[in-house]
Amino acid sequence: MSKNIDIDFKVEKSGDNYSIAGKGYEKSKLTKKKVVLNVNGYSKKEGIKRYISTKALYYPLHGKEYVFSLDMVSENNYLIFNKFSVPGIFSVKGDIDISNKRIINSELSVNSSVLEISRFFNVEFGALKSGKIDGLVKAKGEFTRPNIIGKIKFRNTKIGDAGGFDGDISFQSDDGKVIQINKMDVSNNSNKIMAGWGKINLEEEDVYFTIKGDSVDSKVILDVLKYDNNAVTGFLNANLELLGRLNNPQVVGSLSIEDGSLYGHNFSKISVELGNPKQLN
């Protein structure tokens, strides 16, 4: 959601029950401000249970309406999410033990598109322009150190000026801090062009990741980069590793282009070594 929103909420109490109503307005110097958020909800206690229900209508600055729904039950230090979703964006279900144990057992599912997520969060994804995104992430265990298992799929994705990309990513973590990426496969028009695997340490902000590509048509890469795809032709092979700091990793490995041409001059093979190749497994 955009940060440029002024919130005006009103909460009313009746015994152990509460109701909430409010609106969010686009920040503006104009006298009449545009409503971009409309919220209504209640919290009702029945015995040892408390029922919480909220619905919000969100209107991003481009005008499309999104419905945010929350239906939750609180009982004996447990929060049980029956419904926590924005149709077309994401949904969450599960429960959280908010006692001293702080245990989570929940799952997040995503069934959306690059365009919808970009509109909803009011963000841009750089060269990633369009495509469908499906994902399922499960978290179980201590709230601060959960066991995580997830899968994400990208279908018919457009990157830069190139379309037809599909991607499959699977990952897991034993503590929520070190993410093991078991698989990251990328294909273009049904042809597999890249495979990757490795791990990311979020606590230490380190990465160790392997990327391999075999016989990738250079035209695909140049279209992604929005570069003249007639400058270089051929088939790219890559054997790379990203090592070190997450925000500035060292790139080690080799790149080669075979059976190609450079500005009209044919060649059989051009190879480049990056970093220290002895570091490669």
Side-chain angles (χ1 to χ4, degrees):
M1 290 188 183
S2 173
K3 297 179 180 178
N4 300 314
I5 298 177
D6 289 321
I7 306 295
D8 181 15
F9 284 132
K10 181 179 180 181
V11 178
E12 294 184 352
K13 184 176 185 294
S14 177
D16 288 330
N17 301 326
Y18 299 85
S19 64
I20 182 173
K23 292 183 178 181
Y25 301 89
E26 177 187 355
K27 287 184 178 180
S28 171
K29 295 181 179 180
L30 300 177
T31 303
K32 187 176 181 181
K33 298 181 180 181
K34 180 180 178 181
V35 176
V36 293
L37 184 67
N38 201 329
V39 179
N40 287 280
Y42 68 84
S43 172
K44 180 175 63 175
K45 189 173 183 181
E46 294 183 0
I48 63 173
K49 294 183 179 181
R50 178 171 290 279
Y51 296 86
I52 302 169
S53 180
T54 300
K55 176 175 283 189
L57 300 180
Y58 172 50
Y59 313 92
L61 302 185
H62 56 75
K64 183 171 180 177
E65 176 183 290
Y66 294 94
V67 181
F68 174 94
S69 298
L70 169 64
D71 285 308
M72 183 174 70
V73 180
S74 174
E75 179 183 4
N76 294 331
N77 290 322
Y78 272 91
L79 298 179
I80 302 170
F81 293 91
N82 295 320
K83 187 178 184 181
F84 179 36
S85 67
V86 177
I89 304 293
F90 71 87
S91 67
V92 176
K93 65 180 181 180
D95 57 76
I96 302 175
D97 182 346
I98 58 175
S99 67
N100 292 334
K101 295 180 180 179
R102 297 189 179 276
I103 302 296
I104 185 172
N105 184 9
S106 301
E107 64 179 46
L108 164 70
S109 61
V110 177
N111 185 356
S112 189
S113 68
V114 172
L115 180 60
E116 288 298 326
I117 292 176
S118 175
R119 286 176 171 177
F120 181 76
F121 290 102
N122 195 29
V123 296
E124 297 291 337
F125 293 103
L128 189 59
K129 300 301 182 182
S130 63
K132 184 173 175 56
I133 302 174
D134 292 306
L136 179 64
V137 181
K138 297 181 179 181
K140 187 174 183 179
E142 294 182 36
F143 191 75
T144 57
R145 299 175 61 86
N147 180 278
I148 298 172
I149 299 176
K151 292 183 179 181
I152 300 175
K153 294 182 178 182
F154 296 86
R155 293 293 180 264
N156 196 27
T157 303
K158 183 177 181 181
I159 306 175
D161 288 336
F165 287 96
D166 294 334
D168 291 273
I169 304 172
S170 64
F171 56 91
Q172 66 184 66
S173 175
D174 294 330
D175 58 9
K177 295 178 173 55
V178 178
I179 308 297
Q180 182 73 38
I181 302 174
N182 300 318
K183 181 180 75 170
M184 186 179 75
D185 291 342
V186 179
S187 61
N188 180 253
N189 294 322
S190 300
N191 297 314
K192 186 175 179 179
I193 62 173
M194 189 190 79
W197 59 89
K199 65 180 179 179
I200 299 173
N201 189 322
L202 300 177
E203 191 170 51
E204 300 294 333
E205 297 185 351
D206 287 337
V207 61
Y208 184 93
F209 197 77
T210 299
I211 299 174
K212 291 186 181 291
D214 295 312
S215 300
V216 182
D217 191 337
S218 62
K219 182 180 184 302
V220 174
I221 305 300
L222 295 176
D223 282 345
V224 168
L225 300 175
K226 295 186 176 181
Y227 192 77
D228 180 7
N229 58 30
N230 291 316
V232 180
T233 65
F235 297 92
L236 176 69
N237 299 298
N239 182 18
L240 303 173
E241 288 188 354
L242 306 182
L243 311 167
R245 304 303 294 172
L246 186 58
N247 61 352
N248 188 27
Q250 179 186 3
V251 181
V252 178
S254 62
L255 293 171
S256 67
I257 301 179
E258 298 179 351
D259 301 324
S261 65
L262 179 63
Y263 291 103
H265 299 282
N266 296 331
F267 59 83
S268 58
K269 184 176 182 178
I270 295 179
S271 299
V272 178
E273 297 289 340
L274 303 173
N276 182 0
K278 293 182 179 180
Q279 294 181 11
L280 286 173
N281 291 332

